Amino acid sequence: MKPTTYNVRVDYGDVRETPPDSVITAIHEDLARYDASVGTSPAGGLTVRLFLDADSPVDAGTRGTEYVLGTLLKHDIFHAHRMTGFEVITEEEFDRRLAEPLVPELAGMTEVAQITGTTTSRASQLRGRLAPYLVQELASGPVYLASGVRTFAETEYNRTPGVRRTEIPLSPIERALLDSLAAAAAGTAMASTAAGHQAVAKAIEGVVGNGHQLQLHFQPADSQVSAALGTLLEHGLVRTRRIYKKETSTMAAGHENDLVVSLTVKGQRHAGSGTPAADEENDR
C-alpha cells in the first residue's frame, strides 16, 4: 500500500513562556526533514506541525507526536503530560483548509432575500427557519452563514409558489376526491372508473354555487368518504360549508345536512388545477 502524506499538529497548552528564538530555530532544524513549523496554539501555548508519510492516520499521529516530544525534551522545554492534544489530517485536507477564508461569507437580510429570490420583507419571515445558520444577532439585524442560507434555498425553500411543492401522500379515495374537486373547478367530467372514484361518485350530489363546489351527500363519520375528506381538511387542501338556506329551495328534501366542498389554493396546486378557488362568500 502506497503511503499517504499527513499533516500532524501537536499542541502544548501549558506553556509559561515562549521559548527563545534560538530554541525555536533548533526545533526547526531538528525537524527540517518533516517541513516543521512552530507557532502559538489556540490555548496560548505552543503548536508544532509537521508532514510525514505513513500507512494510516494512526501511524502518522503516533510517530508525529513522538518526533515532536523527543525534540522538545531534547531542548528541555516540556514534559510529556503537558501535551493537550494532536490532530492528523491528509495533505489534501490541509491545503483545502488553507484555501478557506479566515472569515466565512456572511449574509444579512438583504443577502438572504437575494439568495432566496424574494423580498426583504418575505425574507424576514424566514428567520425562524434560518436559525440553524445564525452567526450573531446585531442591532442592524441577524447575520447568517451564506453557505447555510444557500443550502436552505436549494433544499427547503419554495421560491416559486404554485410550481414547486412538497408531495402529500394520499390514498386512492383521497386522491379521487381531490381530482373530482379539480374537475368541478375546471368544469370537466371525471372519466375514471377506479374504485376510489366510484366511491366518491356515489357520494356526489352535484355542483352548487358558481359551479366550482361539490355537494356531497351526508356521510356517516366512519365512512370512507368522510375519512378521506378529513385527511384533505387536515392538510389544508379543501374547505367545507353547510348548505345555504337559499340553496335548499331548489333541492329535494333530505339534503339539509349535505356538505359543500371546494379546493383551497394549496389544494389547486396538489390537484394540478390552475382554476382559481371558489370564493364561498360570493355564494351567500
Side-chain angles (χ1 to χ4, degrees), residues 232-269:
L232 299 186
L233 285 168
E234 180 180 351
H235 289 297
L237 303 179
V238 300
R239 54 176 171 260
T240 63
R241 66 171 174 83
R242 292 294 181 182
I243 298 291
Y244 297 145
K245 182 177 293 187
K246 68 177 182 180
E247 293 171 332
T248 61
S249 61
T250 60
M251 298 178 185
H255 292 283
E256 295 81 6
N257 293 322
D258 286 0
L259 278 181
V260 176
V261 186
S262 58
L263 287 176
T264 63
V265 173
K266 181 179 179 181
Q268 293 171 19
R269 295 201 300 267

Side-chain angles (χ1 to χ4, degrees), residues 22 40 77 95 105 167 174 222 227 229 244 251:
S22 59
T40 303
I77 299 177
D95 292 338
E105 183 184 1
E167 285 295 335
E174 292 162 358
D222 59 352
L229 183 60
Y244 297 145
M251 298 178 185

Side-chain angles (χ1 to χ4, degrees), residues 120-192:
T120 53
S121 176
R122 171 56 182 153
S124 66
Q125 299 174 15
L126 301 173
R127 293 174 62 162
R129 298 170 66 184
L130 291 172
Y133 315 112
L134 180 66
V135 175
Q136 191 169 1
E137 190 82 37
L138 304 177
S140 58
V143 178
Y144 302 95
L145 288 173
S147 59
V149 177
R150 289 194 181 92
T151 298
F152 167 79
E154 293 170 0
T155 61
E156 298 182 51
Y157 183 58
N158 180 0
R159 69 180 79 181
T160 312
V163 177
R164 292 164 54 197
R165 57 183 171 80
T166 301
E167 285 295 335
I168 297 176
L170 298 176
S171 69
I173 193 168
E174 292 162 358
R175 172 56 61 183
L177 182 54
L178 195 66
D179 289 346
S180 297
L181 286 164
T188 60
M190 290 299 299
S192 175

